[in-house]
Amino acid sequence: MRNAVILATGRYLPSQEVTNQDLDWFPAAALGKISEKTGVFSRRSATHDECTSDLAAHAARDCLEKAGLAADELEGIIVSTSSPDRVQPATATRVQHLLGARRAFAFDINSVCSGSVYGISLADSLIKSGNHERILFIAAELYTKILNKQDFSTFPYFGDGAGAILFEAGSERGVLDSVLRTDGSACDTISVPGGGTMMPFDRITNPRSAYFQMDGKRVYAFAIEKGAEVIRELLTRSGIAAGDVDLFVSHQANINIIHAIADQIEVPRERFFVNLGRYGNTASASVPIALDEAIASGKAKVGDLLVTVAFGGGLSWGANLIRL
Amino acid sequence: MVNAVNIDTLSACIKELFPDAADVIIGSETLLDDVPGWDSMSAVNLQTYLATAFGVTIPEEMLSSETSVGEIIEQIRHG
């Protein structure tokens, strides 16, 4: 069977580290809540001049270097981002230019935090179509520029970063299956309300509407329920027991969500790769970044069976079954 | 100024902080848990806002989901 095989992965995290203690404009007594409620101890912040495509290009170069591949050998570039450079054109177009990937088509997808599993599935489908041999998927997010710095219910959660996965046509190994789900009736649960056609800039009356917002309680319950549910669905239809999965690479939203999903599907919590303590929630970039770190640290090896799972705005969620 | 705080002023504060509550009727009996978007993290936003606006620090134990908007008003008025 023709599959999208992972040839290499890469990542980029801006060098500026911002610890919880650095968020000293919030009440000192509240800072302890951040790690307790989220598991986040620090995050990375892009510089004033960096934009999302810069982060994406760094991650892509890291990935291409590991693969020993020149950018002009790419056929297509998919960028997942919910914090794009601008409303248009696609962030991916500047990434293509920065890389010098002149032969590659380039476009964006936006499935917010679940963009990673959607992008992996999309890259797999493009390769399975038989029309493409090599697709670079990048997830890049720069949330520190779309967050309200004064909002304790969002700002401490997130960080900036990018991850990349290079897929090539192959067989046996690769993306074996994907499940993607959306509940658009809950599309207001996570949003940046202002600046689009629903609330153009000249109709923003509450300045907070220009920034990222989420209903934290609702997201928490949704993520645990659907995260566990989609893993079960993916594994059941593939005839694989959760215990046979070598590593789960989950969206790094909140340590309590990751632990609850592990408990619900009855696998040891240690089977879930975790790095959000250092990077915070990097939205759709979190899974590719985590995957690259898991490979680099030897926690994920060639031949291992992996499940990637993500959930977020939309509300959308999904999972991929991958033989590394 | 603190004595002038009433349900209208606090309702306006809450609606500014919680845009999803824009269409919700907020009365003295409304529990903080019933405010769309309310959670233990956003509680810090309300605490900070009230400290800036009225110079009153609401104790953290009062910012629980079971506290009513009326109780917050009383706390602001009488410290």
Side-chain angles (χ1 to χ4, degrees):
Chain A
M1 183 175 176
R2 186 179 169 96
N3 285 334
V5 175
I6 294 179
L7 206 57
T9 58
R11 69 183 186 275
Y12 173 73
L13 283 311
S15 59
Q16 189 189 355
E17 185 181 10
V18 180
T19 67
N20 292 350
Q21 286 65 42
D22 292 330
L23 307 180
D24 54 7
W25 58 91
F26 292 117
L31 295 181
K33 271 189 182 182
I34 301 171
S35 56
E36 176 196 332
K37 297 285 180 183
T38 69
V40 176
F41 292 89
S42 67
R43 71 284 296 145
R44 299 299 179 89
S45 182
T47 64
H48 178 78
D49 295 328
E50 279 181 310
C51 57
T52 305
S53 54
D54 294 317
L55 275 58
H58 281 303
R61 287 192 195 101
D62 182 42
C63 182
L64 291 172
E65 191 178 317
K66 286 174 186 164
L69 198 79
D72 62 7
E73 294 179 75
L74 292 172
E75 285 177 56
I77 298 170
I78 304 168
V79 171
S80 163
T81 185
S82 49
S83 48
D85 284 357
R86 38 197 167 178
V87 173
Q88 57 175 270
T91 298
T93 59
R94 184 166 185 266
V95 176
Q96 186 240 30
H97 170 65
L98 291 172
L99 295 177
R102 287 163 297 179
R103 290 179 55 235
F105 60 82
F107 65 95
D108 289 0
I109 62 167
N110 179 0
S111 195
V112 199
C113 293
S114 57
S116 55
V117 293
Y118 275 70
I120 289 168
S121 178
L122 180 56
D124 179 44
S125 298
L126 287 169
I127 285 174
K128 278 197 168 82
S129 74
N131 292 327
H132 306 286
E133 296 295 316
R134 203 173 283 139
I135 299 289
L136 179 63
F137 170 61
I138 311 164
E141 304 281 13
L142 210 165
Y143 266 49
T144 58
K145 291 189 184 178
I146 66 167
L147 293 167
N148 179 353
K149 199 178 172 188
Q150 305 302 325
D151 184 356
F152 193 75
S153 70
T154 57
F155 194 84
Y157 282 85
F158 293 90
D160 303 330
I165 307 173
L166 179 62
F167 291 100
E168 189 175 63
S171 59
E172 295 175 20
R173 292 193 298 123
V175 182
L176 306 178
D177 198 6
S178 298
V179 176
L180 307 177
R181 297 283 178 260
T182 298
D183 175 9
S185 70
C187 64
D188 295 329
T189 307
I190 297 172
S191 72
V192 179
T197 57
M198 189 179 278
M199 189 192 294
F201 286 117
D202 61 1
R203 279 194 243 154
I204 295 175
T205 52
N206 184 344
R208 290 171 189 273
S209 297
Y211 297 105
F212 174 91
Q213 298 170 5
M214 68 174 175
D215 183 337
K217 264 194 313 194
R218 197 170 173 191
V219 172
Y220 187 85
F222 147 77
I224 293 169
E225 180 193 345
K226 297 303 182 184
E229 185 181 288
V230 77
I231 292 172
R232 284 195 206 99
E233 183 180 352
L234 178 76
L235 295 179
T236 299
R237 77 182 195 186
S238 301
I240 291 167
D244 293 334
V245 175
D246 295 298
L247 190 70
F248 292 85
V249 182
S250 171
H251 170 42
Q252 307 286 304
N254 181 314
I255 192 65
N256 300 311
I257 291 173
I258 293 174
H259 285 167
I261 292 174
D263 294 349
Q264 284 209 16
I265 64 169
E266 298 179 330
V267 301
R269 292 177 174 182
E270 298 71 36
R271 200 78 62 83
F272 277 68
F273 186 84
V274 174
N275 64 3
L276 91 158
R278 287 177 285 131
Y279 302 142
N281 179 344
T282 54
S284 73
S286 78
V287 165
I289 291 171
L291 180 60
D292 184 59
E293 283 206 339
I295 292 170
S297 66
K299 288 186 177 171
K301 303 174 289 297
V302 172
D304 280 357
L305 192 60
L306 309 182
V307 166
T308 53
V309 60
F311 29 79
L315 294 171
S316 289
W317 62 100
N320 317 105
L321 182 65
I322 301 170
R323 178 72 69 184
L324 197 58
Chain B
M1 180 168 177
V2 165
N3 287 331
V5 174
N6 57 32
I7 188 61
D8 292 334
T9 51
L10 198 59
S11 176
C13 294
I14 289 172
K15 290 185 180 200
E16 185 180 336
L17 281 175
F18 299 91
D20 287 347
D23 300 324
V24 176
I25 297 170
I26 294 172
S28 296
E29 304 298 315
T30 304
L31 299 179
L32 295 178
D33 199 36
D34 295 331
V35 175
W38 174 268
D39 63 17
S40 59
M41 298 290 275
S42 59
V44 175
N45 291 339
L46 183 63
Q47 186 184 39
T48 305
Y49 187 102
L50 297 178
T52 304
F54 305 111
V56 175
T57 300
I58 306 295
E60 191 170 333
E61 58 271 20
M62 262 205 87
L63 292 166
S64 79
S65 54
E66 303 306 315
T67 299
S68 71
V69 171
E71 288 171 317
I72 295 290
I73 293 171
E74 285 306 304
Q75 180 68 27
I76 294 170
R77 284 178 178 167
H78 305 296

